[in-house]
Amino acid sequence: MDKLAELITPEMLQTHVIPWATRVTVALAIFVIGRWLVKWLLSAARRLMHRGGMDDMLVAFVSNIAYFMLLAVVIIAALDHLGVQTTSLLAIVGAAGLAVGLALKDSLGNFASGVLLIVFRPFRVGDFIEAAGTSGIVQAVNVFSTVLATGDNREVIVPNGQIYGGTIVNVTARPTRRIDLVFGIGYGDDLRTAKRLIEEAMGRDERILAEPAPAISLAELADSSVNINVRPWVKTGDYWAVRSDLLESVKAAFDANGISIPFPQRDVHLHRVDAA
């Protein structure tokens, strides 16, 4: 301790220790205050974007990018106050960024795809989509990936490049959807009666829309059944409930009126051959 006290002279304190400690303290203050200011500015910007009617997905995406860019500015300002040559540092960072960019070209592709998803908006947060071999409700579009929630409440994270580079099916984009059903009846059953029962079953369900009008038509004379196409229109949110209820109603009506729903069958003819 005595030797340390001998080394730290008043001149050293005045010329080195105190100025360096001051610069470190100010640099830390710049970082802490700058980070708080960035968060405050982004919070205010998010409120303004929401008031302007911007989509939640776009607000979250822009906020994430702006946060990292502004935080980088704060870090550079703090390092500059410490005396670090930020010009040389930026050149080194730029060269390193080029090398990293070449190594992470897939990630940059996902970033570019995320920007395109935000700009063209083939779907929004809350839409149910089918893309990249999976389906679910869109929870968020991040810088590199999109988060989906499946019907059984699993979280699936899909790279943006796989979504934008493939076919996107937005199930909930339109207010109405058509239900496509096929009912098969036996060849011995009355076709007009079956169609009337289907029409009555649809008429009892108020969720089925009058316009466009439901369609009932003969689909084909199949091997084991006479197939009938049934195509009612419903609101998108009622699709699965109406589909299930209509199947149950038609099955009950067929059973009550002796209309059979045949299963695939085949006639086998046996020929007896004498031993001689």
Side-chain angles (χ1 to χ4, degrees), residues 38-112:
V38 166
K39 290 183 178 180
W40 182 83
L41 288 174
L42 289 179
S43 178
R46 279 193 292 267
R47 288 196 297 269
L48 290 175
M49 287 188 286
H50 283 302
R51 289 177 184 175
M54 293 183 65
D55 186 65
D56 292 340
M57 184 171 65
L58 179 59
V59 172
F61 190 84
V62 172
S63 298
N64 288 335
I65 295 178
Y67 175 76
F68 289 111
M69 292 179 64
L70 293 175
L71 187 61
V73 173
V74 171
I75 293 174
I76 291 173
L79 292 175
D80 184 67
H81 191 79
L82 281 175
V84 177
Q85 295 297 324
T86 54
T87 303
S88 302
L89 180 63
L90 289 175
I92 295 172
V93 171
L98 178 60
V100 172
L102 293 175
L104 300 177
K105 60 180 181 179
D106 292 337
S107 296
L108 293 177
N110 289 328
F111 173 78

Side-chain angles (χ1 to χ4, degrees), residues 37-261:
L37 186 60
V38 166
K39 290 183 178 180
W40 182 83
L41 288 174
L42 289 179
S43 178
R46 279 193 292 267
R47 288 196 297 269
L48 290 175
M49 287 188 286
H50 283 302
R51 289 177 184 175
M54 293 183 65
D55 186 65
D56 292 340
M57 184 171 65
L58 179 59
V59 172
F61 190 84
V62 172
S63 298
N64 288 335
I65 295 178
Y67 175 76
F68 289 111
M69 292 179 64
L70 293 175
L71 187 61
V73 173
V74 171
I75 293 174
I76 291 173
L79 292 175
D80 184 67
H81 191 79
L82 281 175
V84 177
Q85 295 297 324
T86 54
T87 303
S88 302
L89 180 63
L90 289 175
I92 295 172
V93 171
L98 178 60
V100 172
L102 293 175
L104 300 177
K105 60 180 181 179
D106 292 337
S107 296
L108 293 177
N110 289 328
F111 173 78
S113 297
V115 173
L116 294 175
L117 290 174
I118 293 297
V119 172
F120 295 106
R121 288 194 286 184
F123 52 80
R124 301 171 183 268
V125 172
D127 285 347
F128 188 93
I129 67 169
E130 298 174 0
T134 188
S135 60
I137 299 174
V138 179
Q139 300 293 301
V141 177
N142 298 322
V143 177
F144 298 108
S145 61
T146 297
V147 182
L148 303 178
T150 62
D152 55 353
N153 206 28
R154 291 178 298 162
E155 185 175 283
V156 181
I157 301 175
V158 186
N160 289 331
Q162 294 185 15
I163 293 179
Y164 196 79
T167 301
I168 302 173
V169 179
N170 192 334
V171 178
T172 55
R174 303 295 178 87
T176 58
R177 286 186 66 187
R178 190 183 71 186
I179 301 176
D180 292 343
L181 297 175
V182 178
F183 292 100
I185 63 174
Y187 273 90
D189 296 321
D190 185 75
L191 178 61
R192 292 186 178 85
T193 301
K195 294 174 68 174
R196 175 178 58 81
L197 293 174
I198 295 172
E199 186 175 0
E200 291 175 353
M202 290 192 294
R204 290 191 296 267
D205 196 327
E206 297 179 353
R207 296 168 296 180
I208 294 178
L209 302 177
E211 291 294 335
I216 304 175
S217 60
L218 181 63
E220 62 175 338
L221 302 177
D223 294 337
S224 304
S225 63
V226 177
N227 294 333
I228 305 171
N229 278 334
V230 179
R231 294 175 176 174
W233 286 83
V234 296
K235 294 181 179 179
T236 301
D238 295 333
Y239 179 88
W240 290 108
V242 174
R243 186 181 188 278
S244 177
D245 292 344
L246 185 58
L247 285 170
E248 183 176 346
S249 298
V250 172
K251 175 64 168 62
F254 281 3
D255 291 344
N257 291 270
I259 301 295
S260 62
I261 300 179

